[in-house]
Amino acid sequence: MKLNKIKAVILAGGYGSRLSEETDLKPKPMVEIGGKPILWHIMKMYSFYGVNEFIICLGYKGNYIKDYFLNYFMNQSNVSLDLKNNDLIYENKNKQKENWKVNLVDTGLDTMTGGRLKKVSSYLKNDKFFFMTYGDAVSDINIVDLAKFHLTKKKIATLTAVNPPERFGRLSIMKNNIVKSFAEKPKSSDILINGGFFCFSNQIFKFLKNDETVLEQQPLKALVSKKQLAAFKHKKFWQPMDTIFEKNRLNSLWLSKNPPWKKW
């Protein structure tokens, strides 16, 4: 299945307050993993499967993201300057090229998730379906399989259901207060949550009212009631970056030289 004409919307406008150690200075999608913004990692994930057109919904510190892409070659390349002739040469420009078309759309400082998606509807009016995700999580999800599943189910929306990473160890304690067992950050296959990798038909926009619309509340609940929300189960790697602990974990995985989400 070819995805080269399918677009991906990335929500990148939130405050990221739980990661304030980093987000006081930059928007959360620009927090770096292995020297690259997590936004770049997400885009590389999609690009590996042929998705190369992105609509990035900006909000908090959106100019930071604009500056990153406007100066993309500058940030990625060795640069030679000839100040006498005002010439600028990117020495390794060809090595840093990405086959990306990037639409940077200001969707408001305090706009909710559904409101941000609604504000980019004009970019998607002719699309049979599109992808959407948040700008703060990576996964080894197969995007092609997600798209095939969505089209097979013929629903308005498909979300990716994942096992949440455990943040704490789990104790089993007997009646006499003696610990029976201890599991260091166990993972339960029985618990599934929204992993944030969506497929939507453009009928989704009928469920989005205004800037205050929170996608994960009334719109998804309405889809559930109409039996128009499918769940693509992904049991492998998925990791959000909500805290400094999770950011450090992702950096450790990257430095291991075999990060699970790196397919490119």
Side-chain angles (χ1 to χ4, degrees):
M1 181 179 185
K2 293 183 179 179
L3 298 178
N4 58 305
K5 293 184 179 180
I6 310 301
K7 299 168 187 171
V9 176
I10 303 177
L11 302 186
Y15 285 97
S17 55
R18 284 180 290 181
L19 194 59
S20 59
E21 300 93 334
E22 296 274 355
T23 56
D24 280 347
L25 301 174
K26 63 182 72 170
K28 192 177 182 183
M30 295 305 293
V31 175
E32 292 185 353
I33 304 300
K36 302 280 191 180
I38 192 170
L39 176 61
W40 178 88
H41 289 265
I42 294 166
M43 294 168 74
K44 289 288 283 187
M45 286 165 47
Y46 276 103
S47 185
F48 174 78
Y49 291 101
V51 179
N52 289 302
E53 183 166 353
F54 300 94
I55 301 163
I56 302 177
C57 301
L58 306 179
Y60 174 69
K61 295 188 181 294
N63 285 340
Y64 198 110
I65 297 176
K66 286 182 180 179
D67 289 343
Y68 174 77
F69 285 105
L70 287 170
N71 296 295
Y72 188 81
F73 288 130
M74 177 79 76
N75 294 330
Q76 306 291 326
S77 304
N78 297 328
V79 177
S80 293
L81 298 169
D82 183 339
L83 298 181
K84 179 179 179 181
N85 298 309
N86 196 29
D87 287 336
L88 176 63
I89 300 171
Y90 301 104
E91 293 182 353
N92 54 341
K93 181 176 178 179
N94 290 333
K95 293 182 180 179
Q96 305 300 336
K97 281 185 177 179
E98 302 288 356
N99 187 30
W100 296 346
K101 179 180 178 182
V102 184
N103 302 278
L104 302 169
V105 185
D106 289 310
T107 55
L109 187 59
D110 295 309
T111 308
M112 297 292 101
T113 50
R116 293 193 191 283
L117 182 57
K118 183 177 178 63
K119 284 192 169 183
V120 298
S121 60
S122 62
Y123 293 82
L124 300 155
K125 59 186 176 182
N126 297 320
D127 296 74
K128 182 178 180 180
F129 77 98
F130 61 93
F131 297 103
M132 195 210 82
T133 193
Y134 309 112
D136 64 355
V138 289
S139 175
D140 61 354
I141 181 174
N142 186 310
I143 299 299
V144 171
D145 287 349
L146 172 61
K148 287 180 178 178
F149 178 88
H150 174 72
L151 293 175
T152 299
K153 291 298 180 182
K154 298 180 181 179
K155 302 298 182 183
I156 293 173
T158 298
L159 61 73
T160 298
V162 300
N163 296 124
E166 292 280 356
R167 288 187 170 93
F168 304 101
R170 186 175 297 170
L171 295 172
S172 175
I173 302 175
M174 296 185 290
K175 289 182 179 180
N176 60 358
N177 291 331
I178 302 300
V179 175
K180 182 179 179 182
S181 67
F182 174 77
E184 176 62 17
K185 298 175 185 173
K187 196 166 188 177
S188 173
S189 60
D190 299 328
I191 302 172
L192 291 170
I193 63 170
N194 168 24
F197 290 89
F198 293 91
C199 279
F200 290 124
S201 83
N202 59 24
Q203 293 181 60
I204 187 63
F205 297 113
K206 297 177 182 178
F207 295 81
L208 308 176
K209 293 183 178 180
N210 51 40
D211 287 5
E212 286 72 46
T213 302
V214 179
L215 175 67
E216 301 77 11
Q217 294 180 8
Q218 188 55 39
L220 292 190
K221 289 178 181 178
L223 289 169
V224 169
S225 69
K226 294 177 182 294
K227 294 182 169 54
Q228 285 294 320
L229 179 61
F232 176 77
K233 293 181 181 180
H234 176 69
K235 296 297 186 75
K236 295 182 180 180
F237 178 82
W238 174 82
Q239 179 63 59
M241 188 184 66
D242 285 330
T243 65
I244 197 70
F245 170 83
E246 289 169 334
K247 180 222 170 184
N248 291 339
R249 178 170 188 263
L250 286 170
N251 267 302
S252 295
L253 287 170
W254 185 261
L255 292 174
S256 73
K257 305 301 182 185
N258 191 30
W261 68 93
K262 186 180 184 297
K263 302 297 183 183
W264 60 91

